Coordinates of all heavy atoms in Angstrom, one line a residue:
G274 N -0.9 9.0 3.6 CA -1.0 9.8 5.0 C -0.9 8.8 6.1 O -1.1 7.7 5.9
A281 N -2.8 0.3 17.1 CA -4.2 0.3 17.6 C -4.2 -0.2 19.0 O -5.1 0.1 19.8 CB -5.1 -0.6 16.7
A283 N -1.8 0.4 21.4 CA -1.5 1.5 22.3 C -2.3 2.7 21.8 O -1.9 3.5 20.9 CB 0.0 1.8 22.2
E322 N -23.9 -10.4 21.5 CA -25.2 -9.8 21.6 C -25.8 -9.3 20.2 O -26.6 -8.5 20.1 CB -25.0 -8.5 22.5 CG -24.8 -8.9 23.9 CD -24.5 -7.7 24.7 OE1 -24.6 -6.5 24.2 OE2 -24.0 -7.9 25.9
Q370 N -22.7 -13.8 4.2 CA -21.4 -13.8 4.7 C -20.3 -14.3 3.7 O -20.6 -15.2 2.8 CB -21.2 -14.7 5.9 CG -22.1 -14.1 7.1 CD -21.9 -14.9 8.3 OE1 -20.9 -14.6 9.1 NE2 -22.8 -15.7 8.7
Q374 N -10.2 -18.6 3.3 CA -9.2 -19.5 4.0 C -7.8 -19.2 3.4 O -7.5 -19.5 2.1 CB -9.5 -20.9 3.6 CG -8.5 -21.9 4.3 CD -8.6 -21.9 5.8 OE1 -9.6 -22.0 6.5 NE2 -7.4 -21.6 6.4
V412 N -21.9 8.1 15.0 CA -21.0 9.0 14.2 C -21.3 10.4 14.3 O -22.4 10.9 14.0 CB -21.2 8.6 12.7 CG1 -20.2 9.5 11.8 CG2 -20.9 7.2 12.5
F423 N -18.0 -3.1 7.6 CA -17.9 -4.5 7.7 C -17.8 -5.1 9.0 O -17.1 -4.4 9.9 CB -16.7 -5.0 6.9 CG -16.7 -4.8 5.3 CD1 -16.3 -3.6 4.8 CD2 -17.3 -5.7 4.6 CE1 -16.5 -3.4 3.4 CE2 -17.5 -5.5 3.2 CZ -17.0 -4.4 2.6
S484 N -14.8 -6.7 15.4 CA -16.2 -6.5 15.5 C -16.4 -5.5 14.4 O -15.5 -5.1 13.6 CB -16.5 -5.8 16.9 OG -15.7 -4.7 17.2
E568 N -39.4 15.0 -22.9 CA -39.7 15.6 -21.7 C -40.6 14.5 -20.9 O -41.4 13.8 -21.4 CB -40.5 16.8 -21.8 CG -40.7 17.5 -20.5 CD -41.3 18.9 -20.7 OE1 -41.3 19.4 -21.9 OE2 -41.9 19.5 -19.8
E570 N -42.3 13.9 -16.5 CA -42.5 14.5 -15.2 C -41.5 14.0 -14.2 O -41.4 12.7 -14.0 CB -44.0 14.1 -14.8 CG -44.3 14.8 -13.4 CD -45.8 14.4 -13.0 OE1 -46.5 14.0 -13.8 OE2 -46.0 14.6 -11.8
I576 N -31.9 18.4 -6.9 CA -31.5 18.0 -5.6 C -30.3 18.5 -5.2 O -29.5 19.0 -5.9 CB -31.5 16.5 -5.7 CG1 -30.4 16.0 -6.6 CG2 -32.8 15.8 -6.0 CD1 -29.9 14.5 -6.4
L586 N -34.0 6.6 5.8 CA -34.7 6.8 4.6 C -33.8 7.4 3.4 O -33.3 8.5 3.6 CB -35.9 7.7 4.9 CG -37.0 7.3 5.8 CD1 -38.0 8.3 6.1 CD2 -37.6 5.9 5.5
K659 N -45.6 -33.3 -24.0 CA -46.1 -34.2 -23.1 C -45.6 -33.9 -21.7 O -44.7 -34.5 -21.1 CB -45.6 -35.6 -23.5 CG -46.0 -36.1 -24.8 CD -45.6 -37.5 -25.1 CE -46.2 -38.1 -26.5 NZ -45.7 -39.3 -26.7
G668 N -60.5 -26.8 -14.4 CA -60.3 -28.0 -15.2 C -59.1 -27.9 -16.1 O -58.8 -28.8 -16.8
R688 N -23.8 -16.9 -10.3 CA -22.9 -17.2 -9.3 C -23.6 -17.3 -8.0 O -23.3 -17.9 -7.0 CB -21.7 -16.2 -9.2 CG -20.7 -16.5 -10.4 CD -19.8 -15.3 -10.4 NE -18.9 -15.2 -9.2 CZ -17.7 -15.7 -9.1 NH1 -17.1 -16.3 -10.1 NH2 -17.1 -15.5 -8.0
G757 N -42.0 -18.1 -21.4 CA -42.1 -19.0 -22.6 C -42.7 -20.4 -22.2 O -43.6 -21.0 -22.8

Side-chain angles (χ1 to χ4, degrees):
E322 297 172 5
Q370 296 189 76
Q374 180 66 56
V412 182
F423 289 93
S484 55
E568 188 174 347
E570 183 180 343
I576 61 166
L586 298 177
K659 294 183 179 180
R688 291 167 60 96

